[in-house]
Amino acid sequence: MKILFRTAGGIAKGEELGLGHVYRCLNLAKFMKQNQIHFFVEDFGGVKNILKKNGFDKIILLKKNPKIEYDVEKIRSYVKRNKIDIVIVDRYKIKKRYVSKIRKFVKTVVISDLKDIEFDAGLVVNGFIGFKNKIIKNRHKTKCLIGPKYQILSKKFQKKKNNRKKEFKLLATFGGYDEQNIGLMLIRCIVKNKLNIKVKLVLGPSSRKFNLKKLFSNKFEYKILLYPFIGIFLGLVINPYFPNNISLLYTQIFKVNLIANLFNVEWKPWPFFEFIKNNILVLFYIFISIFILIINKKITKLQSFYFSLTIFFFIYTIISRRMQEYLVPFSILTVSLLLNFYLIKFEKNKSFNYHGNQRFPGYRKSSIFAYVKSGAVLFLIIIVITNFFLLRQDISNNDFLFNYNNCAEWMKNNIPKNSLVFTNAYAFPYLFSKNSDLIYTHGIDLTYSYLYEPEKFERYMGILQGTLKDNVDYIKEDYSPDYVFSGKIKQDVQLFNYIINNKQNYDAVYEDEWCAVLEVK
């Protein structure tokens, strides 16, 4: 006999399908292995592999969520071509019309869920625990096998155990694929509340596995800190610049960035009102976090960790505005962790309007909470769009470096390698990206230049700011460059004036509307 199973399932997120229908068909197919077994499957992830591992290879994959007419026609064609004797249908939301159409050309068996047995088929099997074990006929005069006695189980569950001793106080299972990882949530809840009960958790074959020893252990997970530190150490030691890179790292962290960055604006503190304006949302998050802590009068280790980091980077942002890039994410994480309990409570509150779930009527989800989440996402989008328009002019004003392209190309094609070029530091990233074969007097972080040669650097800043009134040409005196690069924007006005005042030392070799290159005599 040739038997065709029509089923659907898989581990795709958000589909609420799982693998229950698939395994039920698989269990029944194993009892019928003396027959020729075929599968028609809507595979939402992993089904084909499961069937193949269990020795079934006649598998036809259908497109997901097909229309009834398309589905029926595919089955009709396959039945006729392969001379199928029986079609067994077991899938989510079986339509009555769908079954009636299939029955017209082949013997049909329906395996249904819950209390749904009104199908016009050859046979209906429903092992729903809410039925008493019996054989009846539905309104279509179809024979129906109903009740737990007719539940299709794996062979390993067929034999009854006479041992009536209760080994566990709680037995939990969440199907073949626990998409939401509810099993882990249950165990964590038991651990957190220190419940002294014996629990048996049955995980489905496609559920994510987790380590119970770690959940029940009070040991500090030192590896979380150890591995990053090992990586940092190896990165420093297995390095072509070791050990000089250690002193450079010290300089970068303590002398340049966090403690004493003297010349880069993004490291300087904001004026008071600028600080408030640029951190209004962060201040709101911190206020909410402190308010919740005062109300709760308790805090978990995880909440304490992120709250401490938030306060640390808040203080550092007062000292250096650059630290805002750390303050923002940590403040969001902190307020999210502290609000999480209230959000879950709000979602489960039955005083709000709910909409049900057709497949699992016992599961309810707050539609109001869904609107709140959508509103929050919309609010963030509005903030992003608003900031874009507010900063549009700043972005436009600072989007000019590509105008130096012709200058950079000329320098690349005409200036010998390893020539020294005097330049204003802001232009370094673009010039270097275009030509790394030249040597530039100043890079993007001016504090390094100051720490290296303070007196020479003070004269350099005097040239750029127009405060140096000495008759000596300190570009030539201090740096002895081969060439000088100067833009024609406000940042370079004083540099250009300084070159003009000492024009006897320079020859213009390239010039356009945006920049000029001068050769030092």
Side-chain angles (χ1 to χ4, degrees), residues 205-336:
S206 295
S207 296
R208 284 169 284 184
K209 305 301 185 289
F210 46 85
N211 192 328
L212 285 174
K213 287 183 179 179
K214 285 187 178 181
L215 283 174
F216 287 98
S217 174
N218 291 320
K219 291 182 179 179
F220 176 69
E221 286 292 329
Y222 66 90
K223 291 179 182 178
I224 295 173
L225 296 176
L226 179 63
Y227 290 163
F229 277 111
I230 290 174
I232 292 169
F233 176 76
L234 292 176
L236 290 171
V237 174
I238 307 172
N239 189 304
Y241 299 103
F242 181 81
N244 294 331
N245 58 335
I246 303 298
S247 60
L248 179 64
L249 183 65
Y250 173 80
T251 301
Q252 173 69 34
I253 294 174
F254 295 102
K255 290 186 176 181
V256 176
N257 291 344
L258 298 182
I259 305 299
N261 195 299
L262 304 173
F263 302 99
N264 289 57
V265 175
E266 74 268 22
W267 290 95
K268 293 180 182 293
W270 272 302
F272 178 76
F273 289 108
E274 282 289 307
F275 178 85
I276 300 296
K277 185 182 80 171
N278 287 290
N279 293 281
I280 188 71
L281 273 177
V282 171
L283 292 170
F284 175 72
Y285 297 148
I286 294 173
F287 172 78
I288 293 294
S289 299
I290 294 171
F291 180 73
I292 293 171
L293 286 174
I294 292 170
I295 292 174
N296 284 351
K297 295 180 182 178
K298 60 180 181 180
I299 186 170
T300 67
K301 288 180 181 179
L302 187 64
Q303 291 168 343
S304 177
F305 174 72
Y306 283 104
F307 183 73
S308 300
L309 285 174
T310 300
I311 298 303
F312 174 79
F313 284 112
F314 174 75
I315 295 169
Y316 238 133
T317 303
I318 294 173
I319 299 170
S320 171
R321 67 185 75 182
R322 183 67 181 268
M323 291 299 107
Q324 188 198 39
E325 62 193 60
Y326 301 101
L327 174 63
V328 172
F330 282 120
S331 64
I332 292 172
L333 284 169
T334 300
V335 76
S336 299

Side-chain angles (χ1 to χ4, degrees), residues 60-72:
I60 304 298
L61 298 180
L62 289 172
K63 67 180 184 180
K64 299 176 182 67
N65 302 312
K67 291 184 178 179
I68 287 177
E69 290 74 17
Y70 172 86
D71 197 335
V72 170

Side-chain angles (χ1 to χ4, degrees), residues 88 113 119 192 270 292 297 322 334 356 439 441 476 480:
I88 300 175
D113 289 320
F119 294 96
K192 183 178 178 181
W270 272 302
I292 293 171
K297 295 180 182 178
R322 183 67 181 268
T334 300
I439 301 169
T441 55
K476 191 173 180 180
S480 302

Side-chain angles (χ1 to χ4, degrees), residues 20 24 27 31 90 111-114 125-130 133 145-154 157-158:
R24 193 157 57 184
N27 291 332
F31 282 104
D90 184 0
I111 303 173
S112 64
D113 289 320
L114 302 178
V125 181
N126 188 314
F128 180 49
I129 197 169
N133 295 323
L145 311 179
I146 64 173
K149 177 182 176 181
Y150 299 103
Q151 187 61 264
I152 300 166
L153 300 172
S154 172
F157 299 121
Q158 292 290 310

Side-chain angles (χ1 to χ4, degrees), residues 410-424:
W410 186 91
M411 292 167 68
K412 185 175 182 179
N413 296 325
N414 294 277
I415 297 180
K417 289 182 180 181
N418 298 318
S419 295
L420 181 62
V421 179
F422 182 93
T423 182
N424 197 333

